[in-house]
Amino acid sequence: EVQLVQSGAEVKKPGESLKISCKGSGYSFTNYWIAWVRQMPGKGLEWMGIIYPSDSDTRYSPSFQGQVTISADKSINTAYLQWSSLKASDTAMYYCATKSSSWFGWFDPWGQGTLVTVSS
Amino acid sequence: QSVLTQPPSVSGAPGQRVTISCTGSSSNIGAGYDVHWYQHLPGTAPRLLICDNNNRPSGVPDRFSGSKSGASASLAITGLQAEDEANYYCQSYDSSLSGWVFGGGTKLTVL
């Protein structure tokens, strides 16, 4: 079964750092781009960035460039999303998703989501 | 404000047909990029419903269908069921942003 399993919920304070993960299984993880998508409370889905695990080629949405870092460790089929200094506005659900082989294509499957809560 | 525009909500009675629109611009849907649709229940992983405008992945009922014309697309759901109550999102690619964009989402209520 093709699936992405994300790390568990996190509660952090403003200014703290955080790295969440997304582990793929059931397919050739290194050969498909992995995207990160944010959903703020009560809001819609926003594409944050995308990484190709084979060579760690990474692209960011202009809205998230410089705000987060996306990385991957192909040896353990895992992609990461990290913050160096969290803000309250980073409180959201974060999803990873595999992009189809077509560059302009769809995302499937998705991880179950990681809830990040930033509060003092 | 999302790049793709969807109505915030739609509703219908069981058995009825509803449509959800997704309006883009000349840098995304209007430029010829395909539209994809997702069903999302809060707290769960979004589910791909329609890819490449009108194709259903394996396991998606044929009650769900998609279409695209010009800079807009639509998702139609026929024979509405209580289990269809969820949020629905369209998605495409945008050449101005050099990235993927979503609609703001539409909440479907089954009356």
Side-chain angles (χ1 to χ4, degrees), chain B residues 66-85:
Chain B
S67 63
K68 175 190 162 188
S69 177
S72 296
S74 290
L75 172 71
I77 310 171
T78 58
L80 211 53
Q81 299 179 4
E83 67 201 48
D84 298 333
E85 192 162 285

Side-chain angles (χ1 to χ4, degrees), chain B residues 27-95:
Chain B
S27 62
N28 41 69
I29 300 175
Y33 295 110
D34 291 325
V35 178
H36 321 291
W37 291 90
Y38 304 88
Q39 179 188 61
H40 188 211
L41 290 162
T44 68
R47 173 195 184 193
L48 178 67
L49 275 184
I50 297 289
C51 57
D52 286 348
N53 308 314
N54 55 17
N55 293 301
R56 283 187 310 278
S58 174
V60 175
D62 59 7
R63 301 187 296 104
F64 295 91
S65 63
S67 63
K68 175 190 162 188
S69 177
S72 296
S74 290
L75 172 71
I77 310 171
T78 58
L80 211 53
Q81 299 179 4
E83 67 201 48
D84 298 333
E85 192 162 285
N87 295 304
Y88 293 83
Y89 293 89
C90 60
Q91 175 246 312
S92 187
Y93 183 86
D94 190 283
S95 58

Side-chain angles (χ1 to χ4, degrees), chain A residues 37 39 43-47 50 60 62 93 95 99 103-108 110-112, chain B residues 33-34 36 38 40 43-46 48 51-52 89 91 93 97-100 102-104:
Chain A
V37 175
Q39 184 176 35
K43 303 297 184 182
L45 304 173
E46 302 172 88
W47 172 70
I50 196 165
Y60 292 95
M93 181 73 87
Y95 295 97
K99 196 181 66 61
W103 179 247
F104 307 114
W106 60 89
F107 300 107
D108 181 63
W110 294 60
Q112 82 278 18
Chain B
Y33 295 110
D34 291 325
H36 321 291
Y38 304 88
H40 188 211
T44 68
L48 178 67
C51 57
D52 286 348
Y89 293 89
Q91 175 246 312
Y93 183 86
L97 298 173
S98 295
W100 294 265
F102 290 91

